[in-house]
Amino acid sequence: MTDPIEIITAYYPPHTRAHHILLRHSQQVAEKAISIAEHLCRQGETIDLEFIQQAALLHDIGIFRVHAPALGCYGQLPYLHHGIEGAKILQAEGLPRHANVCERHTGVGLTAEEITQNKLGLPRRNMIPTTVEEQIIAYADLFFSKNPHHLDRQRPVEKVRMSLCTFGEEKGEIFDRWHQRFHS
């Protein structure tokens, strides 16, 4: 069994700003993701609830490697790299499924073409949530900020969709499909 809190504490000393923000954000994402997964289970879908709980808590484990001083993170990499850095960490921890969640949870996912066209500095490969568990966690993550001033607020559906559409209407369409599936 994987204890996500032990893994977080191994990389984020307790009582630090980064630990507090990461843990609070990840707990919110996990609560929403579990709620969605339980709803889908009641509809007859098979969802790995234990995995969702663990992976949602660990999805942002890589933020300490990026430069985000407001979050108490003083790494050298751009923020967008937190997913692939988290994936590296969880691969090293022997958690490849959890690592996939880290890598694939940015927005509704990134395609290899987007990475190249927008010169994002990420490895050129598709980083799209493929399993229902990955999609649920990516979806839940969209509703919660790590901004310390907005840490306890859930963003409204309309604002989430609008922010995604700034990256292309197709991002909003993916969100719409997820929203329909997860709330029908």
Side-chain angles (χ1 to χ4, degrees), residues 42-176:
R42 287 190 296 275
Q43 305 299 317
E45 292 199 43
T46 302
I47 311 281
D48 187 340
L49 296 174
E50 182 179 7
F51 172 74
I52 284 188
Q53 177 71 30
Q54 293 172 358
L57 287 171
L58 294 170
H59 78 280
D60 276 337
I61 191 82
I63 64 169
F64 75 93
R65 292 187 175 169
V66 304
H67 188 74
L71 307 180
C73 299
Y74 301 95
Q76 300 302 310
L77 297 169
Y79 185 79
L80 191 58
H81 288 238
H82 78 280
I84 60 168
E85 292 302 311
K88 291 174 188 174
I89 291 165
L90 295 184
Q91 284 285 355
E93 292 284 343
L95 300 168
R97 281 180 69 207
H98 301 68
N100 287 339
V101 172
C102 287
E103 183 170 292
R104 299 172 182 170
H105 83 275
T106 300
V108 293
L110 297 168
T111 66
E113 289 114 46
E114 289 173 304
I115 291 167
T116 301
Q117 287 173 353
N118 297 310
K119 298 180 172 100
L120 299 179
L122 297 170
R124 189 182 190 281
R125 61 179 176 254
N126 286 331
M127 297 183 192
I128 306 288
T130 56
T131 68
V132 66
E133 290 89 356
E134 291 170 3
Q135 292 169 357
I136 290 169
I137 294 166
Y139 174 83
D141 184 46
L142 295 169
F143 289 88
F144 300 100
S145 171
K146 284 182 285 300
N147 180 323
H149 303 292
H150 303 288
L151 204 51
D152 290 315
R153 294 186 206 153
Q154 182 170 320
R155 297 169 65 202
V157 171
E158 301 77 26
K159 288 197 179 206
V160 171
R161 189 183 194 290
M162 277 186 357
S163 69
L164 286 169
C165 286
T166 63
F167 300 102
E169 186 60 33
E170 68 279 1
K171 300 295 185 181
E173 291 168 4
I174 294 168
F175 175 80
D176 291 342

Side-chain angles (χ1 to χ4, degrees), residues 4-14 19 61 64 93:
I5 305 303
E6 283 183 18
I7 294 171
I8 289 169
T9 303
Y11 293 92
Y12 295 81
H19 182 273
I61 191 82
F64 75 93
E93 292 284 343

